Amino acid sequence: MPRLPLVSTVDKLEGAAWLDPAAGTVSRIVKRVLPQGTVTDALHGVPLGHPVHPLMVTVPLGAWVSAAVLDVLPGNERAAKTLVALGVLSAMPTALTGVTDFSQLDTQQQRTGVVHEASTAVATVLYAASWLARNRGNHGSGKLLGFAGLAVAGIGGFLGGHLSYRQGAGVNRNEDLPEEVPSGWHSLGPVEGFPDGRPRPAQLGGVPLMVLRREGTDGEDGTGIISVLADTCSHLGGPLHEGHLQETRGQLCVVCPWHGSVFSVESGEVVHGPATAPQPVFRTRVREGRLEVSLTGAED
């Protein structure tokens, strides 16, 4: 089946390098203005366990769609005006969560994202103008501006869906790992092949892993404590073994080299975003000098 013209047009946005200056400017402003850490973690949705922006979007869009329904029915001017105002006010914090996520996306995703942001900004301005017209008693113009705003918001919503479902922004890169890793224990090779103190890459079939061996601690057979995580960052797939280690909140963590997500090497939990999904953790044991791993939660 041939694709709709809108889909083909949106696909072309991924290669539109002329959007890079605008996208780069927005990203730099967000990173410069927003306090990194607790504030950005909350805006990314780290406490929630997945991006908070899609949840926030339901408020302005729901209000504006409801206002449009009331606008085609007689006698609902006051209620419709209230819903338009609710949509405009809620669009502001919703946009804040969106640009926070946007600032940590890849180049092609940001090209689509900056057009998505522009569309929603135009929709919000149209609805603000709609409220002003209604407040002055000009409900006819208010309705026309509202319908125009809803059309533009619909385009913005389409772009947001494309960004999430076609380009994979905000999805967990390790969701399919339980199906890719067979149950039971699997050898990664001689334990001495993993020098201590630095993250090292390993392969379990087609699954990339990050191995961290730490000497000077009491581990099995004197080999030290060994932590093994999925190497693919849950945010956008960065190789964790290329990242650096740091102490954060009293625990040893690995920092993704691509966008700075911070994960506990022991539990895989997200300590700082932009990632919101934890890294899968593997159990470890040493048998006859060989490191063996099993996916946590899998049957032996």
Side-chain angles (χ1 to χ4, degrees):
M1 179 180 294
R3 291 180 298 174
L4 295 174
L6 182 57
V7 178
S8 300
T9 300
V10 173
D11 282 340
K12 294 177 182 178
L13 289 177
E14 298 177 23
W18 58 271
L19 292 168
D20 291 347
T25 298
V26 173
S27 182
R28 285 192 298 273
I29 291 173
V30 171
K31 291 177 181 178
R32 186 178 303 132
V33 172
L34 290 179
Q36 299 300 305
T38 303
V39 172
T40 51
D41 284 348
L43 292 171
H44 283 305
V46 173
L48 192 64
H50 61 73
V52 71
H53 182 64
L55 177 63
M56 296 286 291
V57 165
T58 61
V59 181
L61 281 182
W64 290 338
V65 170
S66 299
V69 173
L70 294 180
D71 278 342
V72 299
L73 300 174
N76 295 296
E77 286 79 9
R78 182 177 179 182
K81 185 177 77 169
T82 301
L83 287 170
V84 167
L86 174 62
V88 171
L89 292 175
S90 61
M92 299 175 188
T94 299
L96 187 60
T97 62
V99 296
T100 303
D101 289 341
F102 167 86
S103 69
Q104 300 292 346
L105 295 179
D106 290 338
T107 299
Q108 290 184 333
Q109 294 170 332
Q110 286 193 341
R111 290 169 181 168
T112 303
V114 76
V115 181
H116 165 70
E117 291 169 357
S119 300
T120 54
V122 170
T124 302
V125 169
L126 287 169
Y127 269 108
S130 173
W131 184 88
L132 288 173
R134 295 167 195 261
N135 197 50
R136 293 168 181 158
N138 193 344
H139 293 282
S141 296
K143 290 180 181 181
L144 290 176
L145 286 166
F147 289 134
L150 186 61
V152 177
I155 294 173
F158 183 90
L159 292 169
H162 183 92
L163 187 60
S164 296
Y165 301 115
R166 181 70 72 89
Q167 293 184 267
V171 301
N172 178 9
R173 303 291 164 151
N174 295 311
E175 179 62 27
D176 294 335
L177 198 66
E179 286 101 35
E180 297 176 5
V181 177
S183 61
W185 291 91
H186 309 277
S187 175
L188 295 184
V191 68
E192 296 301 328
F194 300 98
D196 69 294
R198 290 180 55 194
R200 304 287 179 172
Q203 286 287 135
L204 176 55
V207 177
L209 304 179
M210 185 206 84
V211 179
L212 176 62
R213 177 185 171 203
R214 286 162 284 164
E215 295 283 10
T217 53
D218 294 329
E220 186 175 356
D221 298 330
T223 56
I225 290 179
I226 303 174
S227 301
V228 178
L229 306 178
D231 192 43
T232 302
C233 178
S234 63
H235 175 233
L236 285 179
L240 291 188
H241 77 273
E242 295 182 7
H244 66 273
L245 301 176
Q246 68 179 37
E247 288 282 342
T248 304
R249 297 179 184 173
Q251 55 188 323
L252 184 62
C253 299
V254 60
V255 181
C256 177
W258 285 7
H259 301 98
S261 296
V262 182
F263 303 94
S264 166
V265 299
E266 295 292 342
S267 66
E269 290 299 316
V270 180
V271 178
H272 288 303
T276 57
Q279 287 299 113
V281 176
F282 288 74
R283 294 175 290 174
T284 65
R285 70 184 184 187
V286 177
R287 290 290 185 269
E288 299 180 353
R290 300 184 69 82
L291 174 61
E292 295 182 351
V293 297
S294 174
L295 182 61
T296 300
E299 297 181 0
D300 289 341

